[in-house]
Amino acid sequence: MLFGPFADISLLMTLRVLDPGLCTMLVDYGRPDYRSLGVPVGGAADRFSLALGNGLVGNPPDAAALEITLSGPTLQADTPLACVVFGAPFVLESDRQRLTTGTTFTLHPEELLRIDGTPEGARAYFCVRGGFDVPEILGSRSGLKPLRANAALHYWPGSIASRFIRPTFTWNSKPMLIRTLDGPQASWFEAGEFYDQAFAVTPTSNRMGLRLRGRPLLLPKRELVSEPVCPGAVQVTADGQCIVLGVDGQTIGGYPKIAHVISADLDKLGQLRPEARIRFARVTMADAEAAHWHKQAELREWLTRLQVAEPLSP
């Protein structure tokens, strides 16, 4: 997507990925229109952070950025690059300046930017003014695989004054409260077994889903024909443990679904790290709708403050 003053591709410069980190991916808002064909939504695991990071550098909310997970990349630019790292409080190191997450900065030519780990949360977004110019696949610039060492990404050069906003969400509450609606097979289970305990996120979790560890739920001996699923579905496996589907989760599943995370809390899932503890809270559809519109209003308010001219994507 070329927009505004960034439509002249002759101005494109190169950002080099010297070290990709643990799992660094190009993301935008993903591919929500192709689920009927079996294509996962993909895109950012925390859309709220992506949108605010893009807003800080003057982009539309869904401009392509780098999603950083737990341990980030080492980057180097050809020419001045207006950028920000927004989301979980990753440690930023430079050989030329002092940097913090949530504050815009200009990455200078040949300056080394190292994005290390984070003491809380799991993901942040490296957003650059104009977004990254990569080919679209099924209407999205989201990558299908993590970046590798020596990858080259194209951007529009420029500098930026320092701007800062503090994230409105903290990731270190213990346990994290995740609000849910009843799933299609909620009546198969004893609700108290699910809602009256805390679960831990296991190290085998990824963008496809969060595998949880808790007291096993009693699974009735009933057959279930595979049916459509989407991010936020809480599935119960044969051993009584739960999986919460993420943005890269499959589109069809055969496990019973005891609950479904409300849309306003989906971004929280993207910030849960291994061994993070969570609890689920049942809410009504009216509660879920109110939470959704409250979060959208909060995002619109932030983007208006940041003077983003593009309309918010639904």
Side-chain angles (χ1 to χ4, degrees):
M1 176 174 57
L2 307 181
F3 54 90
F6 306 107
D8 186 354
I9 61 174
S10 67
L11 299 177
L12 288 173
M13 296 297 161
T14 300
L15 177 72
R16 295 185 294 278
V17 181
L18 304 182
D19 183 333
L22 180 63
C23 181
T24 301
M25 298 187 65
L26 276 162
V27 297
D28 52 16
Y29 273 7
R31 303 176 176 86
D33 298 332
Y34 293 90
R35 290 187 56 80
S36 62
L37 301 177
V39 179
V41 173
D46 178 358
R47 292 188 177 193
F48 195 85
S49 292
L50 172 65
L52 290 184
N54 271 322
L56 275 166
V57 292
N59 293 344
D62 62 345
L66 294 184
E67 180 179 88
I68 300 154
T69 302
L70 295 177
S71 178
T74 299
L75 307 170
Q76 189 175 53
D78 284 343
T79 58
L81 172 61
C83 51
V84 70
V85 177
F86 192 87
F90 280 78
V91 176
L92 309 183
E93 295 186 3
S94 164
D95 57 354
R96 301 191 189 181
Q97 56 183 316
R98 185 175 181 179
L99 304 171
T100 59
T101 55
T103 302
T104 58
F105 61 96
T106 299
L107 187 65
H108 301 290
E110 305 306 316
E111 177 182 359
L112 284 177
L113 171 63
R114 292 179 294 275
I115 304 175
D116 294 329
T118 175
E120 60 182 23
R123 292 181 171 89
Y125 296 86
F126 179 71
C127 303
V128 304
R129 178 174 286 176
F132 288 107
D133 182 60
V134 292
E136 287 190 358
I137 301 174
L138 297 180
S140 171
R141 288 184 162 81
S142 290
L144 303 178
K145 295 180 179 180
L147 296 178
R148 296 182 178 181
N150 300 316
L153 302 172
H154 298 302
Y155 68 91
W156 287 264
S159 58
I160 191 171
S162 178
R163 308 174 72 190
F164 170 81
I165 58 174
R166 186 178 301 278
T168 58
F169 184 75
T170 58
W171 299 278
N172 61 350
S173 59
K174 300 175 182 180
M176 180 68 66
L177 186 67
I178 305 293
R179 294 167 291 181
T180 65
L181 298 169
D182 281 344
Q185 290 79 42
S187 62
W188 291 19
F189 302 90
E190 176 60 44
E193 294 183 358
F194 179 66
Y195 291 107
D196 293 345
Q197 66 168 304
F199 296 86
V201 177
T202 70
T204 55
S205 302
N206 53 34
R207 283 173 47 91
M208 290 187 65
L210 298 176
R211 288 185 173 270
L212 307 182
R213 182 178 64 249
R215 296 192 306 272
L217 304 182
L218 182 61
L219 185 67
K221 295 181 179 180
R222 300 178 63 173
E223 295 294 329
L224 177 67
V225 176
S226 293
E227 59 185 12
V229 293
C230 60
V234 184
Q235 299 180 317
V236 182
T237 62
D239 61 359
Q241 299 294 344
C242 296
I243 299 175
V244 187
L245 293 186
V247 291
D248 280 353
Q250 74 274 15
T251 60
I252 297 289
Y255 290 129
K257 293 163 288 297
I258 189 172
H260 200 288
V261 177
I262 67 172
S263 62
D265 284 358
L266 288 176
D267 292 330
K268 291 183 181 180
L269 302 180
Q271 292 293 353
L272 291 171
R273 59 196 291 140
E275 300 306 325
R277 296 182 64 79
I278 65 173
R279 294 186 74 99
F280 295 101
R282 177 194 275 165
V283 299
T284 66
M285 181 62 75
D287 293 332
E289 291 177 350
H292 171 80
W293 292 117
H294 175 78
K295 185 172 182 177
Q296 291 300 303
E298 182 183 9
L299 182 55
R300 284 186 170 88
E301 181 180 355
W302 272 115
L303 295 179
T304 299
R305 291 183 190 179
L306 296 171
Q307 298 180 335
V308 175
E310 307 291 334
L312 180 65
S313 301

